Amino acid sequence: MDLHTPRWHVLTVKKGCEKKVSRSLQALGFEVLLPIRKVYRMWSDRRKRIDDPLFKGYAFVYVSEARRSEVFRAEKHMAFLRYQGKACVLRESEAELLRQWSEGIDAGETDTYAQLRPGAAVEILEGPFSGYQGLVRAIDSDTRLRLELLFTGSLTLVTVQQQRVKVL
């Protein structure tokens, strides 16, 4: 493995600091992916649409092994994710998917689909998760599905509009 070839590394980040870490790394000249979703949050006096990190506690940075230590100049609240003593690195296909997700996932509302039930196998037809298959874990507010997908070797829960899936 070449120490000077950059690859996409997974960073663990203090929850709530994902955007701050991303901005700091970009200011240092690193390419960073921070997939977001647009969600509505309720306060006592208003409802606001915000950008929320898709993977809480994670960010993705494009860096070579030789420059990995420079990443820590950005923030204190992060570390490289490791598995069996080795840094976790994304495949290029996973990085491309994250690029699409970094443009934002709209968590809007859609029509209800009565045939969908928890435990049903579905395929996502459109959007950034297009082509992925998953299991319905819950139905939120009669318009969105909470799905369990296999992503980067681990199970990930995502919320998808019901009109964007078909039952398998």
Side-chain angles (χ1 to χ4, degrees), residues 7-13 25 33 55-63 65 68 71-72 78-83 86-91 94-95 98 151-152 154:
R7 296 171 60 184
W8 285 102
H9 287 79
V10 182
L11 289 174
T12 58
V13 178
L25 288 168
L33 292 174
F55 300 106
K56 301 242 189 262
Y58 295 95
F60 306 89
V61 63
Y62 194 63
V63 64
E65 291 292 323
R68 278 184 40 170
V71 168
F72 296 107
M78 65 182 166
F80 284 98
L81 183 64
R82 302 180 72 76
Y83 178 72
K86 295 181 183 177
C88 291
V89 178
L90 298 179
R91 294 182 290 256
E94 294 170 330
L98 288 176
F151 180 70
T152 63
S154 63

Side-chain angles (χ1 to χ4, degrees), residues 37-42 47-49 105-113 126 139-145 159-165:
R37 62 188 180 131
K38 298 176 186 316
V39 297
Y40 287 96
R41 291 286 160 89
M42 292 292 293
R47 181 178 182 209
K48 186 176 179 182
R49 188 174 185 184
I105 297 167
D106 190 356
E109 297 179 29
T110 64
D111 298 329
T112 60
Y113 279 43
E126 59 183 59
I139 299 174
D140 296 338
S141 69
D142 295 328
T143 60
R144 293 186 306 245
L145 302 174
T159 302
V160 178
Q161 297 173 348
Q162 289 184 3
Q163 73 180 19
R164 294 184 177 187
V165 301

Side-chain angles (χ1 to χ4, degrees), residues 10-22 24-25 56-59 71-81:
V10 182
L11 289 174
T12 58
V13 178
K14 181 178 176 185
K15 287 186 176 113
C17 295
E18 298 93 350
K19 291 184 206 175
K20 181 180 178 184
V21 166
S22 178
S24 296
L25 288 168
K56 301 242 189 262
Y58 295 95
V71 168
F72 296 107
R73 292 188 307 172
E75 290 291 327
K76 298 176 189 173
H77 308 293
M78 65 182 166
F80 284 98
L81 183 64

